[in-house]
Amino acid sequence: MKDIHQLTPGEIRAIIRRGKWDKPTAGLAMGYAQANLVILPQKYAFDFLLFCQRNPKPCPLLEVLEPGEFRTKFLSLEADIRTDIPLYHIYQKGKLRHTIKEIRSFWKPDFVTFLLGCSFSFEEAMLRSNIPVRHIEENKNVPMFITHIPCKAAGVFHGPMVVTMRPIPSEKVARAVQITSRYTSVHGAPIHIGDPSILGIKDLRKPDFGDPVTIKKGEIPVFWACGVTPQAVVMKARPDLCITHVPGHMFISDLLNEELAVL
Amino acid sequence: MKDIHQLTPGEIRAIIRRGKWDKPTAGLAMGYAQANLVILPQKYAFDFLLFCQRNPKPCPLLEVLEPGEFRTKFLSLEADIRTDIPLYHIYQKGKLRHTIKEIRSFWKPDFVTFLLGCSFSFEEAMLRSNIPVRHIEENKNVPMFITHIPCKAAGVFHGPMVVTMRPIPSEKVARAVQITSRYTSVHGAPIHIGDPSILGIKDLRKPDFGDPVTIKKGEIPVFWACGVTPQAVVMKARPDLCITHVPGHMFISDLLNEELAVL
């Protein structure tokens, strides 16, 4: 078998579909956008779509499928959402019940699929501009923090915004803002630069999720809205059923990151 | 009474609320974003929200209210959507039935309100950059054309994209793209530059809506997605009931156009 890192998105999805890859997708199909997955029964779909519309920074929608539809039309013309993600979590009333490699037997005709942008896209653009991405350098997960900034509620969905933090050298902060601003559909510009206490974050060494990273002298903590926000909000609402990807095990699309850039 | 052109958005809405202004809103509250209005019964709301998500250029959502809610929270903290628009159209099964100054007696608890961005916002930015806006110079309505480009369908909603055309001097086309790209929530960048036949437009002198404008030597026709698209699509779906603003008689928000710019 060829090294998976040299394969196209379609080839990688075919391997995943056959159950031959259940590991994280970071570093695969470089240049192509990856997406977060949330599947909800139709009765929650309007509220969740509205939640995403009101909170586009943490919840940047890339594609939403019609009720019952499991084939994408925008992110790929030949993907099957029931099989093409390496690993799925199935939650009932907010409790994790199953972690499985495909969800065909769980599929119901009222399921609505939401695919949301992921920060992999803008991190690649940062690296190309020689802006350091510390957790990649240190081979860690990005540090994530629950802030005290409330999202705009919609129906049953509400909760605080979760953010990621990347330490950026002072002289490169403006450039980091410019670059990530281009990618509005993958979290966009930072929501906060500097003093973490204003967000209600007490200690940058103790993230709520992910790993702490080194902040060097002359670096400023920069905060972006995080795709964990919608998952946290959905869990809190305890829907009868919810299916998500397992963190880091994303949907790999046929869309280039550059196709997501606005300017 | 003070000249209405000198009043704030809140002061103007108060006049409209009292039924004292039922004329177009172009030129009022300069600098502030104005919005298109679509109100639909809840049973159509998910499909329409999905249609807007899939077609953000013609249907840039600025705010969507919960079912039954008639007070905005984002575009203004003190607006009432039932009274604060100069003139409303009420459609039944796609047929225009009433043109009225307020809709309180028609209001139902399952109504979902959608407010969509309007090109007034980016035209102001173009003028500030000394890019001509011909229909404003000629005191006409912007020329609008039905293209043969289909929107992405969602549920019962489907139809062709409607575009506006502005002739731009060749040397300013790039700048016009840059400026309008900043305003993704008010139609964003052009969808097409040059040859109208590629869009299925036969004669620029015969717009489907609005007025023809002069195209001078050295100017290129530039096409932007138009807010008439969602109205046309809704009419075609013939919902039991639909309420819109009368064209040109917009909702005036408290949000500055500059607050809508992404970069």
Side-chain angles (χ1 to χ4, degrees), chain A residues 45-46 49-50 53-54 61-67 74 112 114 152-155 177-178 181-182 184 262-263, chain B residues 45-46 49-50 53-54 61-67 74 112 114 152-155 177-178 181-182 184 262-263:
Chain A
F46 177 75
L49 187 51
L50 189 55
Q53 190 275 326
R54 289 183 179 167
L61 287 172
L62 292 179
E63 181 163 11
V64 183
L65 306 185
E66 313 266 322
F74 174 67
V112 179
F114 299 82
K152 289 177 193 154
V177 171
Q178 289 173 328
S181 294
R182 299 181 67 216
T184 52
V262 290
L263 199 60
Chain B
F46 177 75
L49 187 51
L50 189 56
Q53 190 277 325
R54 289 183 178 165
L61 287 172
L62 292 178
E63 181 163 12
V64 183
L65 306 185
E66 313 266 322
F74 174 66
V112 179
F114 300 82
K152 289 178 192 152
V177 170
Q178 289 173 328
S181 295
R182 298 181 67 216
T184 54
V262 291
L263 198 61

Side-chain angles (χ1 to χ4, degrees), chain B residues 11 37 77 80 84 86 90 96 108 112 123 126 139 142 158 164 174 181 188 208 228-229:
Chain B
E11 289 166 340
L37 173 76
L77 287 171
D80 183 332
D84 289 6
I90 300 190
L96 179 61
K108 291 203 176 130
V112 179
E123 288 177 349
M126 287 169 74
N139 202 19
V142 65
H158 61 92
T164 55
S181 295
D208 295 298
V228 164
T229 311

Side-chain angles (χ1 to χ4, degrees), chain A residues 77-214:
Chain A
L77 286 172
E78 59 86 53
D80 183 334
I81 226 63
R82 303 169 306 172
T83 54
D84 289 7
I85 283 156
L87 219 45
Y88 300 80
H89 274 334
I90 299 190
Y91 295 88
Q92 287 170 333
K93 301 248 178 230
K95 289 220 163 109
L96 179 61
R97 296 295 184 193
H98 306 277
T99 300
I100 47 176
K101 291 208 265 184
E102 57 104 343
I103 56 166
R104 272 179 300 189
S105 60
F106 289 88
W107 190 262
K108 291 203 176 131
D110 74 331
F111 281 2
V112 179
T113 296
F114 299 82
L115 292 155
L116 300 103
C118 149
S119 55
F120 289 175
S121 300
F122 74 69
E123 287 177 348
E124 204 175 281
M126 286 169 74
L127 291 170
R128 275 204 313 274
S129 275
N130 214 15
I131 295 173
V133 180
R134 187 61 32 78
H135 64 277
I136 295 179
E137 289 173 4
E138 298 186 340
N139 203 18
K140 289 174 175 172
N141 284 324
V142 66
M144 290 166 266
F145 300 87
I146 302 171
T147 69
H148 65 198
I149 299 176
C151 292
K152 289 177 193 154
V156 299
F157 299 109
H158 60 92
M161 195 188 296
V162 181
V163 296
T164 55
M165 188 282 290
R166 293 168 188 78
I168 307 287
S170 291
E171 73 278 13
K172 293 191 174 180
V173 170
R175 188 73 188 130
V177 171
Q178 289 173 328
I179 287 170
T180 57
S181 294
R182 299 181 67 216
Y183 298 88
T184 52
S185 50
V186 287
H187 304 310
I191 62 128
H192 185 77
I193 295 169
D195 186 358
S197 71
I198 294 171
L199 299 178
I201 298 170
K202 294 203 180 87
D203 189 344
L204 287 179
R205 291 164 304 183
K206 292 178 182 164
D208 295 298
F209 315 103
D211 305 313
V213 296
T214 310

Side-chain angles (χ1 to χ4, degrees), chain B residues 12 26 108 114 129 178 216-217 257:
Chain B
I12 298 172
K108 291 203 176 130
F114 300 82
S129 276
Q178 289 173 328
K216 298 180 186 170
K217 200 160 175 292
N257 287 324

